[in-house]
Amino acid sequence: MTAQPLTSTKVRKFPCDACGADLRYDPGLTALQCPYCGATKTIAPSLTSVTEKPVDAALRAPRNVGWGAERKVMACQRCGAHTTLEPNISASNCAFCGTAAVVEAPPAETFARPEGLLAFRVPKDNAIQTFRRWLKGLWFRPNDLKSKSRVTSIQGVYIPFWTFDAVTHSHWQAEAGYHYYVTSGGKREQRTRWESASGSLTKDFDDVPVPASRGIDQSLAQTIEPFPTNELAQYEPSYLSGFLAEENAIDLPEALESAKDRMRDEIRSACAREVPGDTHRNLTVQSVFSALAYKNCLLPIWIAAYEYRSKPYRYIVNGVTGRASGTAPWSWVKLTFLGLTILTIVLIILSNQ
């Protein structure tokens, strides 16, 4: 496929009508608010819904480029994430890994503008409180984690995502195992009779999300799903005011393969449940994908990046639902003590038998 020339749109700014300062998007108000005089400005809701587009026609139509608002690009020298922020704001740390090794980078002139967006609904204070509760409640972690971790302030970041729809038709084959029991030498033993089995399965997928991010990988992003992508609104630069936004780092073909891999895992699990009997082995699945469609969008995530003993960790909050997850170091001393305790209990039980 040959891409058509890209188009661009006028850059917008959001001054306060009362004092002229820059307005910021407030998740609690779902509006723009002036941080100085408190004046608010409602964002007009989009009258156009975000719809899927066929994958095979993805590059045929011209696309808008840029954010549609003035942004400055910062590149992290450790994790490689490229985030953008307003030009009058300086970034001293990477939102994704907490490192101070961020440098200004030239904006990508051919960066394709997102088509859809979910705005932040969870206020910053709520995200900070959930982070503190999470950090305090961690088990089997170092005792000095809270005091020695270098925690940066939590930041709201719009993360680029692709979402995919598909209709799949699969054929599976396996050996189905049926348990039966025999008595030998006075002992009852379980044995398994194996029979060939096969079947077909049709499964539909809707809005399977794949992050197009350098800063957050798919396994971590999945821990705070789902995002209500059926509520996507048309991209509006106003929502980015006061927030970071990451540039798209994964293009459509690569994201599609990631989505298919995720779909295949779900299909395999569904086929495994279709195999009759008590157990199964040698399951093979062949799948055909059709009606492939996609959307590209920005999804809101609160991120607290911190370091512990020079290693980066992060905590993330779904900016719409508040669902949270994170990574933290383990205390091998505590885990070893737990293992020894369990072993001691087992030995005591066995010695009393």
Side-chain angles (χ1 to χ4, degrees):
M1 289 183 289
T2 302
Q4 298 297 317
L6 303 178
T7 62
S8 61
T9 308
K10 183 180 178 181
V11 170
R12 294 172 53 187
K13 295 184 179 180
F14 312 102
C16 175
D17 293 334
C19 68
D22 290 335
L23 297 174
R24 297 287 183 269
Y25 175 70
D26 190 319
L29 296 175
T30 61
L32 294 173
Q33 183 176 44
C34 179
Y36 299 99
C37 70
T40 61
K41 183 177 181 180
T42 302
I43 300 175
S46 172
L47 300 179
T48 307
S49 60
V50 181
T51 58
E52 289 83 0
K53 295 182 179 179
V55 169
D56 59 5
L59 300 178
R60 294 177 184 172
R63 294 176 291 173
N64 286 333
V65 297
W67 292 105
E70 193 174 357
R71 307 285 292 180
K72 177 170 63 176
V73 180
M74 305 301 294
C76 177
Q77 302 301 290
R78 173 188 271 177
C79 71
H82 282 61
T83 52
T84 73
L85 60 161
E86 284 144 317
N88 61 320
I89 300 176
S90 61
S92 58
N93 296 91
C94 175
F96 297 97
C97 66
T99 182
V102 291
V103 297
E104 190 165 351
E109 295 182 357
T110 59
F111 168 72
R113 185 173 307 165
E115 297 171 353
L117 176 144
L118 281 177
F120 276 91
R121 298 179 192 171
V122 175
K124 183 176 183 177
D125 289 345
N126 291 22
I128 292 174
Q129 290 172 9
T130 58
F131 171 66
R132 289 173 178 168
R133 288 195 298 268
W134 173 80
L135 195 62
K136 185 178 180 181
L138 292 176
W139 292 4
F140 305 115
R141 311 293 181 170
N143 291 329
D144 61 351
L145 174 62
K146 187 174 182 180
S147 60
K148 289 190 176 181
S149 59
R150 188 173 64 83
V151 181
T152 64
S153 60
I154 198 165
Q155 298 190 63
V157 186
Y158 283 102
I159 305 296
F161 274 77
W162 299 93
T163 70
F164 294 94
D165 294 358
V167 176
T168 63
H169 302 278
S170 305
H171 179 75
W172 59 264
Q173 291 181 310
E175 291 181 80
Y178 298 85
H179 296 325
Y180 65 97
Y181 298 87
V182 299
T183 301
S184 176
K187 293 184 178 180
R188 190 168 183 260
E189 299 178 356
Q190 176 184 290
R191 296 183 181 178
T192 305
R193 182 181 75 257
W194 296 99
E195 297 180 3
S196 297
S198 62
S200 298
L201 178 75
T202 297
K203 187 173 178 62
D204 296 346
F205 291 90
D206 180 54
D207 282 357
V208 175
V210 175
S213 169
R214 284 191 181 97
I216 294 181
D217 60 31
Q218 184 165 341
S219 59
L220 181 59
Q222 284 182 218
T223 61
I224 60 170
E225 291 180 5
F227 287 88
T229 50
N230 61 312
E231 301 175 16
L232 281 171
Q234 282 288 324
Y235 171 74
E236 164 55 55
S238 303
Y239 291 110
L240 268 58
S241 183
F243 290 93
L244 301 179
E246 186 184 10
E247 289 187 342
N248 192 321
I250 297 176
D251 207 358
L252 180 63
E254 182 180 351
L256 176 60
E257 290 307 310
S258 295
K260 283 184 175 181
D261 287 342
R262 183 172 176 179
M263 294 177 196
R264 288 188 185 101
D265 289 341
E266 292 189 29
I267 291 169
R268 184 176 180 83
S269 297
C271 289
R273 293 190 293 269
E274 295 289 313
V275 181
D278 303 302
T279 186
H280 70 271
R281 66 185 183 187
N282 299 329
L283 173 65
T284 60
V285 180
Q286 295 180 322
S287 300
V288 175
F289 294 82
S290 61
L292 286 166
Y294 80 97
K295 291 181 287 194
N296 69 317
C297 57
L298 294 176
L299 301 183
I301 296 179
W302 289 104
I303 303 175
Y306 64 98
E307 288 188 356
Y308 179 79
R309 296 183 178 177
S310 301
K311 186 175 181 180
Y313 298 90
R314 64 175 61 90
Y315 171 82
I316 60 176
V317 181
N318 186 313
V320 180
T321 68
R323 186 170 183 176
S325 181
T327 58
W330 293 99
S331 171
W332 297 110
V333 173
K334 292 182 179 180
L335 290 174
T336 300
F337 179 77
L338 174 65
L340 292 174
T341 301
I342 294 174
L343 179 60
T344 301
I345 294 172
V346 171
L347 292 175
I348 293 173
I349 294 173
L350 292 176
S351 64
N352 291 332
Q353 289 182 346

